């Protein structure tokens, strides 16, 4: 069985959905994971923001607009009258559901329920289209098997048990459609795997059923050696190891959700990145193999905040770092980079929800300074830290920028550098020119 995930642009119009149906119409047994149509989740986020701030008219206007757009999509998507009617009723019921939240006080659980509508709609519309094309398929509701625990981490045992049970109901079906991104939490409420989470869904499902391959279909022909949003002349990389890809995804390569490589790596399932618009392009294969030497790719992650704790007492005091890290642990805030000296330790975080509390607690251990608007630039390649002269090249490329922190030697294949976000684009371009 293969898992094929199609992102927002890949299902972003009636024509694109029809394209996806062509791509998946063969005898291979597969689960197709879909994102919401492009732009939908952003609009749903806006609707929830309007509702939080009691701007009910703005929320209703946007709901109407979005519904109108979906009604246009189905007119292009279906040709049979009864299926057009089915599509219309489906859209109406989802939008009436969203509208129902404009009546009362708005809560976090309702926000998650609204955000889930994008994937629920795209999969249902696609399923109806397959029906029109006489392509036999089953819609698997992700809310029946995808679940996170109290820490927001996937409950792998639950996912495996429940997706297997769902699949066992249809032994004669070769094509399953399900929603990316959405899940339930420990209390059974609708939740999600954070923005861009459909990649993560695909990988979790792949690992749960021990799939042969996980394919991530998007709008670019695989993993590029630098961020194509900021740098021109980037090119696609044919092969990456799980560790290299995980590092790049975690440190900002938007093509993959930050956590999406981990489940595939644990289950040793290859991940293939493909372009929906150019399906014959090779794309990128991510597997357990590490090939080639030297730099493979650069990614950038922000907004990052750095926190420096200066303490004259740190010298020769064991247990100091433990105390510092425990503060972050108490606030469930993960640290990305660390550098130390005898009198100070600097760390970076991306989740600033509890920044003020963290800083207050850290003050008992020394003088605390924070800097916001920072960017981590992550340089990845097999064995790069063992190559003589490699770091010289990096410093040379970055000589005109203010380097704030460096993390070198944490793993064989990653060097991370902290710069001001204002320097991000030029630093990425400069690194691209040097390598
Ligand atoms: P989808 O909606 O299919 O999930 P995303 O927008 O999340 O697609 O991810 C694809 C986009 O990621 C590309 O269009 C590209 O702009 C961006 N991107 C950022 N870094 C990279 C990279 N290193 N390689 C390829 N794409 C990247
Ligand atoms: N629709 C969700 C988002 O836009 C999930 C995804 O596309 O992966 O974040
Ligand atoms: Mg994405």
């Amino acid at each position: 069985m293969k898992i094929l995930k199609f992102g927002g642009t890949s299902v972003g119009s009636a024509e694109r959905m029809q394209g996806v149906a062509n791509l998946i119409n063969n005898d291979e047994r597969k689960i197709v994971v879909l994102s919401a149509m492009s732009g939908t989740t952003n609009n749903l986020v806006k609707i929830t923001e309007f509702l939080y701030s009691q701007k009910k008219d703005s929320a209703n206007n946007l709901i109407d607009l979005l519904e109108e757009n979906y009604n246009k999509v189905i007119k292009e998507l279906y040709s049979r009258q009864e299926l057009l009617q089915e599509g219309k009723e489906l859209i109406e019921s989802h939008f009436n559901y969203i509208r129902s939240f404009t009546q009362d006080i708005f809560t976090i659980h309702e926000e998650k329920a609204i955000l889930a509508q994008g994937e629920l709609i795209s999969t249902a519309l696609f399923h109806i289209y397959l029906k029109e094309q006489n392509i036999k398929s089953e819609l698997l509701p992700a809310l029946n098997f995808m679940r996170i625990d109290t820490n927001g981490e996937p409950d792998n045992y639950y996912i495996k048990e429940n997706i297997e049970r769902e699949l066992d109901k249809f032994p004669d079906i070769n094509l399953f459609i399900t929603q990316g991104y959405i899940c339930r939490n420990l209390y059974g409420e609708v939740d999600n795997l954070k923005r861009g989470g459909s990649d993560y869904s695909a990988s979790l499902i792949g690992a749960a059923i021990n799939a042969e391959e996980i394919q991530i279909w998007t709008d670019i022909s695989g993993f590029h050696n630098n961020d194509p949003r900021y740098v021109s002349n980037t090119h696609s990389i044919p092969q990456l190891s799980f560790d290299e890809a995980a590092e790049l995804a975690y440190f900002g390569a938007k093509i993959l959700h930050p956590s999406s490589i981990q489940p595939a790596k644990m289950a040793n399932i290859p991940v293939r990145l493909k372009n929906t618009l150019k399906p014959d392009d090779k794309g990128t294969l991510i597997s357990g193999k590490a090939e080639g030497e030297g730099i493979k790719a650069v990614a950038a992650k922000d907004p990052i905040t750095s926190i420096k704790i200066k303490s004259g007492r740190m010298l020769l005091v064991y247990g100091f770092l433990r105390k510092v890290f425990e503060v972050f642990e108490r606030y469930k805030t993960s640290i990305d980079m660390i550098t130390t000296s005898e009198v100070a330790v600097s760390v970076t975080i991306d989740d600033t929800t509890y920044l003020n509390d963290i800083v207050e607690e850290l003050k008992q251990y020394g003088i605390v300074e924070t800097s916001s608007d920072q960017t981590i630039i992550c340089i990845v390649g097999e064995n790069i830290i063992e190559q003589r002269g490699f770091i010289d090249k990096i410093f040379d490329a970055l000589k005109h920028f203010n380097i704030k922190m460096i993390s070198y030697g944490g793993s064989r294949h990653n060097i991370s550098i902290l710069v001001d976000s204002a320097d991000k684009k030029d630093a990425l371009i400069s690194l691209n020119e040097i390598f």
Side-chain angles (χ1 to χ4, degrees):
M1 183 102 114
K2 285 188 181 169
I3 314 296
L4 284 77
K5 175 257 169 175
F6 293 88
T9 33
S10 302
V11 292
S13 65
E15 194 190 351
R16 296 275 22 100
M17 281 205 193
Q18 289 156 346
V20 171
N22 284 334
L23 279 173
I24 61 167
N25 190 12
N26 54 41
D27 290 336
E28 261 176 359
R29 197 154 193 251
K30 59 179 88 65
I31 301 178
V32 171
V33 179
L34 299 186
S35 292
M37 295 180 77
S38 53
T40 298
T41 312
N42 286 345
N43 278 317
L44 294 173
V45 169
K46 273 190 210 149
I47 291 169
T48 63
E49 285 167 356
F50 285 140
L51 292 177
Y52 271 123
S53 53
Q54 296 281 328
K55 292 181 182 148
K56 291 189 180 174
D57 288 344
S58 308
N60 274 316
N61 289 341
L62 190 50
I63 295 169
D64 292 347
L65 190 72
L66 204 54
E67 181 172 16
E68 209 179 297
N69 286 342
Y70 273 98
N71 278 316
K72 281 185 199 146
V73 169
I74 56 169
K75 277 188 197 135
E76 279 179 52
L77 190 56
Y78 310 124
S79 40
R80 277 188 7 223
Q81 199 49 45
E82 74 272 21
L83 295 178
L84 187 59
Q85 187 55 31
E86 192 178 333
K88 246 189 207 143
E89 283 164 18
L90 181 109
I91 286 167
E92 202 178 351
S93 76
H94 282 280
F95 281 91
N96 284 345
Y97 178 69
I98 299 174
R99 265 186 208 98
S100 72
F101 296 113
T102 59
Q103 309 304 324
D104 298 313
I105 305 279
F106 195 61
T107 71
I108 182 91
H109 307 303
E110 293 165 341
E111 174 190 325
K112 302 279 175 71
I114 290 183
L115 297 185
Q117 299 309 307
E119 273 70 12
L120 291 169
I121 296 173
S122 66
T123 46
L125 293 182
F126 188 65
H127 185 228
I128 298 174
Y129 179 70
L130 293 178
K131 194 156 76 178
E132 188 176 83
Q133 298 301 304
N134 296 317
I135 302 171
K136 212 167 149 192
S137 71
E138 271 308 321
L139 196 54
L140 292 184
L143 298 179
N144 288 0
F145 61 82
M146 196 52 85
R147 190 164 88 159
I148 50 173
D149 61 20
T150 34
N151 294 319
E153 294 295 329
D155 182 341
N156 292 316
Y157 180 77
Y158 182 97
I159 296 168
K160 185 175 169 57
E161 289 278 296
N162 286 280
I163 194 163
E164 280 175 354
R165 197 200 55 238
E166 292 285 317
L167 290 171
D168 286 347
K169 289 184 198 163
F170 310 102
D172 302 328
I173 293 286
N174 271 344
L175 173 57
F176 296 94
I177 315 297
T178 193
Q179 300 84 21
Y181 177 60
I182 66 173
C183 62
R184 288 192 190 276
N185 62 22
L186 196 62
Y187 310 105
E189 296 151 345
V190 175
D191 213 312
N192 62 59
L193 302 174
K194 309 226 169 86
R195 293 305 305 272
S198 297
D199 304 325
Y200 200 17
S201 302
S203 183
L204 289 167
I205 295 170
I209 63 157
N210 200 15
E212 183 190 331
E213 184 171 283
I214 298 159
Q215 298 179 355
I216 307 288
W217 290 79
T218 182
D219 57 0
I220 190 164
S221 297
F223 218 113
H224 277 218
N225 64 321
N226 205 317
D227 195 322
R229 294 169 298 175
Y230 304 103
V231 179
S232 48
N233 307 322
T234 61
H235 60 82
S236 161
I237 311 165
Q239 198 277 340
L240 282 171
S241 70
F242 287 126
D243 288 342
E244 289 166 341
E247 207 93 59
L248 289 162
Y250 185 74
F251 285 111
K254 194 198 168 213
I255 186 166
L256 286 172
H257 177 281
S259 310
S260 59
I261 291 300
Q262 212 51 34
K265 181 191 165 183
M266 297 308 281
N268 196 20
I269 300 169
V271 178
R272 202 179 284 277
L273 307 182
K274 296 281 286 175
N275 188 344
T276 321
L277 292 165
K278 295 180 181 167
D280 294 331
D281 281 4
K282 275 194 83 165
T284 300
L285 180 64
I286 301 165
S287 70
K289 267 200 286 180
E291 279 177 9
E293 294 257 302
I295 179 170
K296 288 227 179 119
V298 176
K301 177 176 177 173
D302 49 28
I304 295 288
T305 298
S306 68
I307 304 169
K308 180 181 282 176
I309 306 112
K310 281 198 258 182
S311 168
R313 285 165 293 145
M314 189 178 160
L315 183 70
L316 296 180
V317 176
Y318 44 82
F320 176 83
L321 286 177
R322 177 179 52 77
K323 288 183 203 153
V324 167
F325 291 152
E326 274 173 357
V327 174
F328 290 88
E329 190 182 343
R330 272 198 289 286
Y331 290 99
K332 291 189 175 165
T333 301
S334 64
I335 293 171
D336 287 329
M337 277 177 81
I338 309 164
T339 57
T340 57
S341 78
E342 269 182 353
V343 290
V345 53
S346 292
V347 303
T348 69
I349 58 171
D350 69 343
D351 178 359
T352 52
T353 317
Y354 301 108
L355 181 63
N356 291 341
D357 301 297
I358 290 171
V359 168
E360 275 315 304
E361 284 206 30
L362 287 174
K363 279 182 182 166
Q364 59 187 308
Y365 305 122
I367 299 161
V368 183
E369 285 169 14
T370 63
S371 310
S372 53
D373 297 326
Q374 305 291 299
T375 296
I376 295 175
I377 295 192
C378 170
I379 299 150
V380 162
E382 182 56 18
N383 252 341
I384 47 174
I385 71 150
E386 280 162 27
Q387 288 168 34
R388 291 232 176 115
F390 190 80
I391 194 81
D392 306 9
K393 279 193 186 173
I394 294 178
F395 284 143
D396 196 38
L398 300 178
K399 66 185 169 213
H400 301 300
F401 308 104
N402 193 1
I403 295 178
K404 306 299 210 45
M405 277 169 74
I406 302 171
S407 176
Y408 183 92
S411 78
R412 286 197 335 266
H413 50 257
N414 169 17
I415 298 166
S416 300
I417 290 174
L418 190 75
V419 297
D420 285 325
S421 296
D423 290 335
K424 162 179 153 175
K425 185 174 176 198
D426 290 336
L428 287 175
I429 292 171
S430 193
L431 282 165
N432 202 48
E433 279 164 5
I434 287 272
F435 294 105

